[in-house]
Amino acid sequence: MTADNRIRLRAGFDRVAPLYDRIRPNYPPELFDDLAELAGIGPGSRVLEIGCGTGQATVVLARRGYDVLAVELGARLAAVAAARLADTSVRIQVADFDGWHATERDVDVVFAATAFHWLDPATKFDRTAELLRPCGVLATVTTEHIAGGTAGFFRDAQVCYKRYDPNTPPHLTLQPAANIPFDRDLGHRYGPPVFRRHEWNVDYRTSEYLDLLRTFSPTLALPPLTRDGLLRDIGALIDGRYHGRITKRSMAELRVAHRL
C-alpha cells in the first residue's frame, strides 16, 4: 500500500462513524484477559491507545481500571467515543499519531486494535517505543475474516467483487486461522512477540451485512455508483441464494511485545 493510499483509506472511516459504531462487532472478552496477563497490567496501569475509533475496545480498558489516553485521527469517530466514554476517566485527543506531539510518556502499554497497520511503517515502531517505560509493552490487535461460516456465500460473492472492484485479487479464498502466518516484524526496538488468537461467528441479516460492508475501507473507496451496484448485487445474492442470512467467521489476534 502506498503512503497516499494508506492516508486516503484510513480517513474514510470518519465519514461513517455512527454506522461503524453500530455495526462493527466487539472484540472477544478473552482478548482483554490475555492482554492483562501478557502485559502484566492491572487497575491504574497507564495505557495509550492509538486509533480508538468509536471506543469499542476503549470502554473495556476503562472498565478494567486502566488510566487511558486515546489518540484518534477522526473527529467524528472521537465524538462517538467521547459520548460512549462520558462516565469514565478516559481522555481522547483528536490527532494523527504519525505527527502527534506526545503529551505523555513512560506509559505501561501502547495499545492499538485494528489500527496499527494504518500508521507509517517507517516510524511506528520507534515512535511507540519512545512512549513506553523501560520494558513497557506494545500490544496490537488484528482481525481476519477466516474460513468457516457460510462458506458458499463468500465464494459466490467474489463474482460480485470482480464485477465492480478491479483491485479484487484473483482466486481469493478464505483461509483457516492455522494457515495465517504470525507477523513477527517489530523492527529492532522490541523483543520476541507473544500471540493469542480467538475465533468467533457473527450472524447477519442482509441489511446488517450490507451495513457492515459500508464500513470497510475497500468499499468506502469505491465510487458511489460502483459501491451501490456492488452492495445491490451482494444483497440480491444473500436474499436469493442464502435466505436473507449469512454467518461470518472471524479471528482476532493479540500480539504483545516488550520494549527492549
Side-chain angles (χ1 to χ4, degrees):
M1 186 186 304
T2 67
D4 287 345
N5 280 342
R6 175 175 55 81
I7 292 169
R8 177 176 58 85
L9 289 173
R10 70 180 186 175
F13 303 113
D14 202 48
R15 303 201 309 267
V16 292
L19 180 61
Y20 189 105
D21 186 57
R22 175 172 63 82
I23 201 65
R24 284 291 186 109
N26 291 321
Y27 299 98
E30 298 85 357
L31 182 146
F32 298 94
D33 295 333
D34 293 339
L35 173 64
E37 174 195 342
L38 297 175
I41 56 175
S45 293
R46 300 175 66 210
V47 177
L48 170 65
E49 183 180 8
I50 302 171
C52 70
T54 62
Q56 289 167 308
T58 322
V59 70
V60 183
L61 301 176
R63 287 172 181 163
R64 286 175 173 255
Y66 306 146
D67 177 12
V68 182
L69 170 63
V71 179
E72 169 52 49
L73 174 69
R76 295 182 184 91
L77 291 166
V80 175
R84 176 188 290 229
L85 297 159
D87 62 347
T88 75
S89 61
V90 172
R91 294 153 293 146
I92 302 174
Q93 294 188 16
V94 179
D96 178 353
F97 180 79
D98 286 334
W100 179 56
H101 296 290
T103 56
E104 293 192 19
R105 294 181 182 273
D106 295 321
V107 300
D108 298 301
V109 176
V110 172
F111 177 80
T114 59
F116 200 67
H117 62 290
W118 293 116
L119 302 181
D120 185 345
T123 62
K124 61 186 180 182
F125 295 119
D126 285 335
R127 286 183 58 80
T128 52
E130 289 165 2
L131 300 177
L132 286 165
R133 63 169 172 79
C135 297
V137 163
L138 172 64
T140 63
V141 178
T142 57
T143 56
E144 298 278 354
H145 182 188
I146 60 174
T150 311
F153 162 72
F154 295 106
R155 181 185 61 247
D156 295 342
Q158 292 309 303
V159 176
C160 302
Y161 280 103
K162 290 174 183 176
R163 183 180 304 137
Y164 290 100
D165 185 357
N167 295 318
T168 301
H171 314 299
L172 182 65
T173 58
L174 296 175
Q175 298 296 312
N179 289 2
I180 297 173
F182 294 99
D183 183 1
R184 301 181 184 277
D185 181 15
L186 287 159
H188 64 283
R189 302 294 299 271
Y190 294 94
V194 178
F195 298 88
R196 296 280 177 87
R197 289 177 165 181
H198 299 278
E199 301 178 29
W200 76 102
N201 289 333
V202 179
D203 297 327
Y204 293 98
R205 296 189 298 272
T206 302
S207 61
E208 293 169 333
Y209 189 69
L210 296 182
D211 279 346
L212 180 69
L213 293 182
R214 290 184 176 98
T215 70
F216 288 171
S217 58
T219 312
L220 287 166
L222 293 173
L225 291 178
T226 303
R227 181 169 59 245
D228 290 347
L230 172 65
L231 295 175
R232 181 182 62 247
D233 283 11
I234 289 178
L237 174 63
I238 298 173
D239 284 339
R241 200 172 298 178
Y242 296 95
H243 310 291
R245 185 178 292 271
I246 56 106
T247 300
K248 181 176 183 285
R249 186 162 184 80
S250 298
M251 177 190 73
E253 177 188 277
L254 172 68
R255 178 182 66 175
V256 170
H258 287 80
R259 198 197 90 173
L260 294 175

